[in-house]
Structures are given as C-alpha cells and as structure tokens.
Amino acid sequence: MAKKNAGDCCNLTHHGIDIVYEHLIIRGMDPTYTIWFHHGEIEDITETVTQVNSSDAFNLITSAYMGANHYASTSEERRDNDFTQSLEDAETPLYPGCAKYTKMSAIIALYKHKVMNGWTDNSFDGLLEMLGDMLPKHNVILKSVYSVRKFIKEFDLGYDKIHACANDCCLFRKKIKNLQSCPKCGSSRWKVDERTKKIRKGVPAKVLRYFPIIPRFRRMFKSPKMAEELQWHFKHKSEDGKMRHLVDSITWDLVNYKWPTFAEDPRNVRLGLAANGSNPFSNMSTTYSCWPIMLVTYNLPPWLCMKKENIMLTLLIPGPKQPGKDIDVYLQPLIEDLQELWNNGVNV
C-alpha cells in the first residue's frame, strides 16, 4: 500500500485500487519500506512459498466475492470492505514470523485431516485448544470446530438445496414446491422414523444440492486471462490430421456443421457432462454414497481443461442407492440452465 504522504499511512490504511494507483504514481513507495510481516513477508525465504500461500487464499476469496475484477469495479462499499477484511484475515501468518502457514492454509489442512480420519468435534476442539497453547504467542489458530466452520462459511460460493422424493420421483420445486408428499408415489416429503413411523416435519427425506452454473460462467469471463484461454480452441486446431485436443475430433466438426451460428463465436463454451458414484467418507463398507455431476470445459487448452480447478461441480445427488434411470429427475435444474444458455445466452 502506498503512503498518502510521509508518515501518515504506514501501510495500515486500506483503499480501493484506483486510490492506491494514484498514490503510487503521485507519491511513490515509502523509501523506508523493507519487510512487514503482515504481508506474509519473511527474510530469506523462497519466493515460491510466498506465492503459493497468498495465491491459494486470494483465489478462494476472489471466487467467493465474484472475482478480483468485481472487487475493483463494484460500487458497493460493503463488498469492498468485506473483501479487504477477508483477504487480510486469510493471509495473516499463523503466528508472527511464520513463513509456511497462513491462517487459511492451517485451518484448511487441519480440518481436512479431521474429516479424512473421522475425528469427532470434541476431539478436534481439544486438538485446537492444545495447538493454540503450543504455538508462539499471538498465533491466530481458531479454538473450536464452530469457529472453524464459521470461518470457512465466509468463502461459501453458495448452492441451492432442493428437496427430493425419497423414491426419486420428483423434485419439490416450481409448481409442486409447497407439496408435503410426492404427487406420483405419495411418499412423504419429510423423513419418517423407521420405528415409530412418525413424520419428522421439517427434516427432508432427500436433499439435492445444485451449484448454479450461470454465475460461475460469468465469473470465468470476468478474468481477461481466462476469457482468452476459453477461446484457445478456435486458433489451435491441428493442421496435420493428428488429434491433440477435442477440437481435432470428428464430433467437434459435426457440432460445427449442425450449428454453424454457434461455431462462429469462439466464446461459446463447449462442455462435457460427467457423473460417477462416490463414497464421501472414504469407507467402502458404508451403505451411503452420493453422485457428483461435473461439467468439463473443452474450450480450454489440453493442459488446463482437466485440471481440478477447471472442472465444475454442479450437482450432488444424495444416496444411499444410485439414482439409475431416475437420474434425469435430478438433472432438471442443470438442464434448464444449459437450455437457457443455449437458447437465449447470457451477457458476460
């Protein structure tokens, strides 16, 4: 952060990008500025460590707040303040002088370890309290599962919870949004106690989680670099007859032939739909499974299209049994958004 003038900023005041840019051009950097640990800077550490830590936190937060460009251009002062505070909090070193972990990276690593090993909330609370006592003074480790979940919740991109029939007949949405039982099989919308047969109203029998795709596509095009990558396919078709990317396939050419208007604009996105059952608790003896539905963006170059950060999770279909031929019921919200994109398109 540039100083406003000698001695009146000291890197302690936050401003928008336009103001910071003005300060840098007119006043320049503080000539006495060297190392300030609040930026995560430590002497004699490799550049790679600093870049990885800040990049992970920055990418997560910019995704949660609709991207860095959104932050720079929005007129909503509250969003600016939320972004700045979240970024500063996430990139705070775990303790003064710590070069390896930030608050964000430490919390994510510990919580992942809890989930993978099936720790109870009470045991994890105890570990966090012990770590807080072991770490150097002024550490920022959180002290409870509740505070960890609250912290992570700030970066939630959001999803829609849609109640589903226990027998996979329908989703309780649109015209049947307020029904209390399935119009096809008559089963209750709510969980039924197996022993007493009492309906637990308010507790849905099944919940589909849908991660809306349109805002995420908009976010992809907000990045100039990503927008350019999404047009890679248009200029890199193989000229020697060898297949190096899906753009070189017969199917790609067939799509171009059948829908020439779609093919004319290189910004139009081509997607692959993938589904597979998974065991979310890493214990194959359990009867519970779920089915994630993912979209793969084929516009991207081959070294990017299959990277995990570019594969878009869209649906989580609940178990314990596989949806089978009824999977089309669960695909409804995704298909409707895809039809909207195909028929009308959206501005980005």
Side-chain angles (χ1 to χ4, degrees), residues 69-92:
N69 291 341
H70 178 78
Y71 162 67
S73 61
T74 183
S75 60
E76 300 179 15
E77 184 177 353
R78 181 185 62 80
R79 185 174 290 276
D80 285 352
N81 293 335
D82 288 347
F83 178 88
T84 302
Q85 292 171 6
S86 299
L87 180 60
E88 180 181 3
D89 191 28
E91 294 191 335
T92 302

Side-chain angles (χ1 to χ4, degrees), residues 162-163 171-178 332-333 336:
I162 305 173
H163 295 179
L171 298 177
F172 291 95
R173 57 196 294 265
K174 294 189 174 181
K175 294 181 179 180
I176 62 171
K177 181 178 180 180
N178 297 319
Q332 287 175 13
E336 287 172 5

Side-chain angles (χ1 to χ4, degrees), residues 50 74 241 299 301 318 335:
T50 302
T74 183
N299 287 40
I335 297 301

Side-chain angles (χ1 to χ4, degrees), residues 151-164:
F151 177 79
I152 296 175
K153 181 68 175 177
E154 294 179 11
F155 309 109
D156 183 5
L157 294 179
Y159 57 87
D160 298 332
K161 290 183 177 181
I162 305 173
H163 295 179

Side-chain angles (χ1 to χ4, degrees), residues 192-243:
V192 179
D193 190 288
E194 294 182 0
R195 184 174 60 86
T196 64
K197 304 302 179 183
K198 183 179 179 180
I199 296 176
R200 300 172 60 188
K201 193 169 184 178
V203 182
K206 272 191 176 182
V207 178
L208 170 71
R209 287 165 173 82
Y210 174 53
F211 302 81
I213 60 173
I214 292 177
R216 295 157 80 184
F217 281 126
R218 281 199 175 108
R219 190 178 303 130
M220 290 170 70
F221 279 99
K222 291 179 77 68
S223 164
K225 182 179 179 181
M226 178 60 76
E228 184 178 353
E229 297 286 6
L230 287 168
Q231 301 176 69
W232 181 93
H233 67 96
F234 199 69
K235 300 178 181 179
H236 293 83
K237 186 176 178 64
S238 175
E239 296 180 356
D240 57 7
K242 295 181 179 179
M243 184 171 174

